[in-house]
Amino acid sequence: EAGVAQSPRYKIIEKRQSVAFWCNPISGHATLYWYQQILGQGPKLLIQFQNNGVVDDSQLPKDRFSAERLKGVDSTLKIQPAKLEDSAVYLCASSLKDTYEQYFGPGTRLTVT
Amino acid sequence: GNSVTQMEGPVTLSEEAFLTINCTYTATGYPSLFWYVQYPGEGLQLLLKATKADDKGSNKGFEATYRKETTSFHLEKGSVQVSDSAVYFCALTVLTANQFYFGTGTSLTVIP
């Protein structure tokens, strides 16, 4: 079974530029999560989708971050414009609906200079 | 609110030593508790879980017991191996709240 795929694996941008990350969850997983993991901290949930609807985006900085999951499969997370404090690893995870176990992708490491 | 506090690292042990990584939580409602592991260069993987009080999760020689009276979920292993070197994260979810909360992670290095 293929795991959660993310791209790119690494990205370096300058502040005020924009960036987009892509995630393809495990086939059949209805729930998709985006997390931000700052160095030395645990992952923080940014947004959770159930199929193509948003379940929770209470911790998403909506002035600069946006995410979509068209057709209820893959998803993109965008930052525009980026700030230095956005430097982090962005993790995507997926799970079957109403289950506890989340499967994580390898993450995208973003460096904002 | 909901939160997880885990033992700060890094932790360095010799092979075959006993491991304990402490984790305590606060939660509204009835949480499920998890340990995730992140090996170097890889994504997070679920190590074990417990969904109700007194449950014991176990996997790969690791164990953790859901203690409601002490709000704890400490991770233990009787004899660590070099291959156990990784970062370990304690986490909780309260499904009705649709949120997952992670601790800050504890880095473990096992030396031969």
Side-chain angles (χ1 to χ4, degrees):
Chain A
E1 177 183 81
V4 176
Q6 289 187 248
S7 67
R9 291 295 308 276
Y10 305 92
K11 189 73 176 179
I12 301 173
I13 61 172
E14 296 182 351
K15 59 184 179 184
R16 292 187 288 275
Q17 287 187 322
S18 63
V19 64
F21 311 126
W22 174 82
C23 172
N24 190 33
I26 292 173
S27 177
H29 281 196
T31 309
L32 184 147
Y33 311 80
W34 282 103
Y35 290 87
Q36 180 192 59
Q37 186 178 14
I38 293 172
L39 186 65
Q41 299 181 19
K44 183 185 83 171
L45 181 68
L46 292 175
I47 188 167
Q48 177 183 344
F49 292 94
Q50 183 99 298
N51 297 310
N52 61 350
V54 175
V55 173
D56 180 9
D57 64 357
S58 58
Q59 297 197 82
L60 186 74
K62 298 181 187 64
D63 58 333
R64 298 184 299 106
F65 286 64
S66 64
E68 60 182 11
R69 191 184 184 197
L70 300 175
K71 300 180 182 179
V73 183
D74 54 356
S75 175
T76 56
L77 176 70
K78 296 179 182 178
I79 307 175
Q80 182 179 6
K83 293 185 175 181
L84 295 176
E85 59 261 36
D86 298 332
S87 295
V89 176
Y90 291 84
L91 298 167
C92 179
S94 69
S95 69
L96 293 168
K97 183 183 175 184
D98 294 334
T99 62
Y100 302 104
E101 184 164 355
Q102 296 183 30
Y103 294 83
F104 283 82
T108 297
R109 182 177 298 277
L110 173 68
T111 302
V112 182
T113 63
Chain B
N2 300 311
S3 67
V4 174
T5 302
Q6 67 180 98
M7 169 179 167
E8 290 191 14
V11 174
T12 302
L13 295 173
S14 297
E15 206 165 21
E16 299 184 3
F18 184 85
L19 168 71
T20 299
I21 300 178
N22 291 337
C23 171
T24 57
Y25 67 89
T26 58
T28 55
Y30 301 95
S32 295
L33 302 172
F34 307 83
W35 278 99
Y36 278 81
V37 59
Q38 188 171 32
Y39 297 105
E42 299 184 16
L44 278 83
Q45 303 173 27
L46 178 65
L47 180 60
L48 53 84
K49 66 183 178 186
T51 57
K52 62 183 187 296
D54 299 325
D55 269 2
K56 178 186 283 188
S58 61
N59 186 24
K60 299 181 180 180
F62 291 89
E63 292 184 339
T65 301
Y66 186 160
R67 302 281 189 204
K68 188 177 178 182
E69 64 276 12
T70 54
T71 62
S72 65
F73 192 55
H74 304 322
L75 182 67
E76 297 182 336
K77 187 174 185 182
S79 175
V80 293
Q81 305 300 312
V82 172
S83 57
D84 294 328
S85 298
V87 180
Y88 293 82
F89 293 90
C90 186
L92 74 81
T93 186
V94 181
L95 258 189
T96 53
N98 283 319
Q99 287 192 344
F100 237 82
Y101 299 86
F102 283 86
T104 54
T106 302
S107 175
L108 170 67
T109 301
V110 180
I111 55 177

